Amino acid sequence: MASLRTKKLSLSGWGRYPHADTLAFRPERRPDVPACLPGLDGSVIARGAGRSYGDQALNGGGTTILTERLDRMISFDPETGRLVTEPGVTFASLLDVFLPRGYLTPVSPGTSYATLGGAIANDVHGKNHDRMGSFGDYVAWVELLLPSGETKRVSEQEDAALFRATIGGAGLTGIITCLAVDLMRVPSNAVDLTERRVADLDQFIALLAEARTNSTYSVGWIDALAKGRELGRGILETAELSATPIAAKPRRQLGVPFNFPRMALNSLSVRAFNQLYYNRVPAAGRQRHTGIAEFLYPLDAIANWNKIYGKPGFSQFQCVLPDATAPVGLRKMLEAVSAAGAASFLAVLKTLGRQGRGMLSFPMPGFTLALDFPRRRGTDALLAELERLTLESGGRIYIAKDSALSADGMAEMYPELSAFRMVLSEIDPNRQIGSDQARRLRLRA
Ligand SMILES: Cc1cc2nc3c(=O)[nH]c(=O)nc-3n(C[C@H](O)[C@H](O)[C@H](O)COP(=O)(O)OP(=O)(O)OC[C@H]3O[C@@H](n4cnc5c(N)ncnc54)[C@H](O)[C@@H]3O)c2cc1C
């Protein structure tokens, strides 16, 4: 039981805002996990790599189970690609072990440091959502430690409601202690990448819509400070898996060694950075043969890039707007950001395909926009305005990234919230699992 020592920690998400004090357990082995459940008088939440941005993996005044040591891969079937593994395994470990053998997760988020437990809890999507759907689509089953102390295997066949509540369920249905996920075969470790400049929002929407059918991967980087005729300009990247391998590079990271001073980040410095990024790609565009990892995880090249926003941290906002309302809705959002002079580095614009199978899965067919805002006066007002615009367009906000959404907004955006709450009432009547986000968004009845 030496591994069950507890520690008081002050934790935050990747945005470094907000913070919460918690009692943390770091179990070394799966059999240790049940002993981390609190009694009836406290609440617990699992935490993976802390790559969700806001208060989702925070449990102020409660208990947190740190899952990073639960990182054993248990079995792999090369015929079917099925991997059985513990939840603390990261996408980076999967790359190290499986890419040289010709396998990849069909879906990956934009950082390789997220864990598979975290990927299930947010039903994460990648740059190929139109083609491949979200992470939960490839999860065959999960082993859940329920608040009752019972461990249960859950799948579409064995308790479909609990399974659908767990995919994208923000960690609230129990602690995932083991899971089975299907990897796909890839022809090499490389992609053929095409980069081109995009003049404005209308062109971006048209090109992304085209990429849905013509490209396996697509992602847009927008200069969120551009105004007027240049509103929504940026770089579009599309990519195809390549059969020609590339010499594997050791994973190297530049670091941000300290918090940037508040003054360093203003709209002038961000404008200059965004301009440089835009000009990086020649006017005629370019094609490159590059590593899958470099393409999927460009931000991982800079360790702790979240310190760029200084000590107060930052909030990320990500929404999806339906195809029909996106052109007008996105324009209004970019105008609001630009008018506020909110110093957002490159914003990300992508398309999403089908609705995910989790009750609270974020994806729906449409366009998704992600923006970062340093925490300062005016940030909350801007986030409230973006929530209003999301609702006006019939869209929804991604709770993996969120620290500001209102509970009413959540209920309006996620039509299956009441079904989700019913599952929680059944499996956790004493509210033993909880997070700051669940309380803020009233994810329980
Ligand atoms: C640079 C960057 C890029 C990103 N790009 C994308 C993207 O392209 N697409 C996308 O969808 N997301 C993206 N994300 C968000 C990220 O993928 C998700 O927030 C993911 O859930 C983080 O996983 P984690 O292991 O860090 O989980 P944490 O942040 O630690 O926790 C997130 C949730 O998972 C739950 N959880 C973790 N482990 C378990 C477990 N064992 N059992 C039960 N619940 C558990 C927690 O309770 C919490 O609710 C990005 C994040 C960053 C920092």
Side-chain angles (χ1 to χ4, degrees):
M1 285 291 160
S3 59
L4 284 187
R5 274 194 307 244
T6 57
K7 207 172 175 185
K8 284 190 177 158
L9 290 179
S10 174
L11 295 174
S12 65
W14 185 245
R16 306 173 80 219
Y17 170 86
H19 292 257
D21 294 333
T22 185
L23 195 63
F25 288 93
R26 186 177 277 122
E28 298 285 339
R29 301 175 311 119
R30 277 190 288 157
D32 295 338
V33 182
C36 305
L37 290 181
L40 293 182
D41 55 344
S43 72
V44 66
I45 194 72
R47 181 178 170 97
R51 254 56 181 191
S52 50
Y53 280 68
D55 51 0
Q56 191 178 62
L58 301 186
N59 191 17
T63 302
T64 306
I65 301 182
L66 309 175
T67 62
E68 67 231 56
R69 299 264 167 81
L70 305 177
D71 62 353
R72 294 164 194 81
M73 297 183 201
I74 295 163
S75 67
F76 180 66
D77 180 342
E79 287 298 315
T80 61
R82 180 157 299 177
L83 169 70
V84 176
T85 176
E86 291 182 349
V89 165
T90 61
F91 287 87
S93 312
L94 292 188
L95 274 186
D96 289 345
V97 174
F98 288 104
L99 194 54
R101 294 169 172 80
Y103 295 90
L104 184 70
T105 43
V107 172
S108 174
T111 175
S112 66
Y113 297 114
T115 66
L116 301 190
I120 293 176
N122 278 311
D123 193 16
V124 300
H125 59 272
K127 299 177 175 75
N128 56 354
H129 189 266
D130 283 286
R131 293 275 171 100
M132 302 303 284
S134 48
F135 189 79
D137 294 340
Y138 301 92
V139 176
W141 52 261
V142 296
E143 187 182 272
L144 263 187
L145 172 64
L146 297 172
S148 62
E150 178 198 355
T151 296
K152 187 171 181 183
R153 182 184 285 206
V154 184
S155 66
E156 205 71 77
Q157 295 74 36
E158 302 154 280
D159 205 336
L162 183 52
F163 186 62
R164 291 190 56 240
T166 301
I167 306 285
L172 297 172
T173 59
I175 315 299
I176 300 167
T177 50
C178 192
L179 61 109
V181 62
D182 293 330
L183 308 188
M184 67 174 185
R185 279 214 167 263
V186 283
S188 83
N189 62 350
V191 290
D192 291 317
L193 168 65
T194 303
E195 293 167 293
R196 58 173 291 181
R197 286 190 197 174
V198 182
D200 59 24
L201 184 63
D202 288 340
Q203 192 187 12
F204 235 129
I205 288 178
L207 289 174
L208 277 168
E210 211 178 284
R212 277 181 155 161
T213 34
N214 297 343
S215 305
T216 304
Y217 295 95
S218 58
V219 58
W221 304 89
I222 286 194
D223 173 359
L225 285 181
K227 290 187 183 173
R229 277 191 301 136
E230 291 186 327
L231 187 93
R233 72 167 186 176
I235 304 291
L236 174 68
E237 296 181 2
T238 52
E240 299 302 324
L241 293 168
S242 165
T244 312
I246 193 166
K249 285 192 206 148
R251 200 177 298 127
R252 269 205 335 228
Q253 277 199 321
L254 295 170
V256 176
F258 52 81
N259 287 312
F260 271 35
R262 199 185 267 250
M263 291 306 290
L265 196 82
N266 53 41
S267 56
L268 277 181
S269 56
V270 174
R271 206 179 295 279
F273 173 86
N274 287 359
Q275 179 76 42
L276 272 175
Y277 193 87
Y278 185 72
N279 289 336
R280 192 179 61 99
V281 171
R286 66 177 174 187
Q287 299 203 315
R288 292 194 289 135
H289 184 63
T290 189
I292 285 178
E294 286 76 25
F295 169 67
L296 290 180
Y297 312 118
L299 290 171
D300 284 357
I302 305 173
N304 299 327
W305 63 259
N306 52 352
K307 288 189 181 169
I308 288 174
Y309 291 93
K311 220 168 170 196
F314 67 105
S315 290
Q316 180 161 105
F317 166 84
Q318 182 172 355
C319 68
V320 54
L321 304 188
D323 291 330
T325 55
V328 173
L330 292 173
R331 179 170 297 281
K332 286 186 183 174
M333 286 181 178
L334 289 175
E335 279 168 358
V337 172
S338 188
S344 180
F345 277 110
L346 299 162
V348 176
L349 183 64
K350 292 185 286 204
T351 52
L352 295 179
R354 57 186 184 257
Q355 170 71 45
R357 66 174 163 171
M359 292 174 180
L360 300 188
S361 284
F362 166 69
M364 61 153 113
F367 288 78
T368 177
L369 175 70
L371 298 149
D372 291 341
F373 303 115
R375 295 293 316 170
R376 62 179 193 197
R377 215 162 359 132
T379 303
D380 285 327
L382 178 60
L383 290 168
E385 173 61 3
L386 293 174
E387 174 178 337
R388 193 188 68 73
L389 290 171
T390 305
L391 283 168
E392 184 184 277
S393 295
R396 64 171 67 126
I397 287 175
Y398 190 15
I399 63 173
K401 309 287 185 78
D402 170 63
S403 54
L405 176 60
S406 69
D408 290 344
M410 176 78 201
E412 207 171 319
M413 291 171 189
Y414 286 85
E416 288 201 75
L417 179 59
S418 39
F420 179 76
R421 285 173 172 159
M422 266 166 62
V423 172
L424 294 194
S425 313
E426 272 170 37
I427 56 148
D428 188 16
N430 298 311
R431 299 167 171 257
Q432 283 164 275
I433 304 202
S435 66
D436 289 356
Q437 181 177 71
R439 290 181 281 272
R440 175 171 59 85
L441 295 179
R442 294 202 296 270
L443 299 182
R444 287 175 177 285

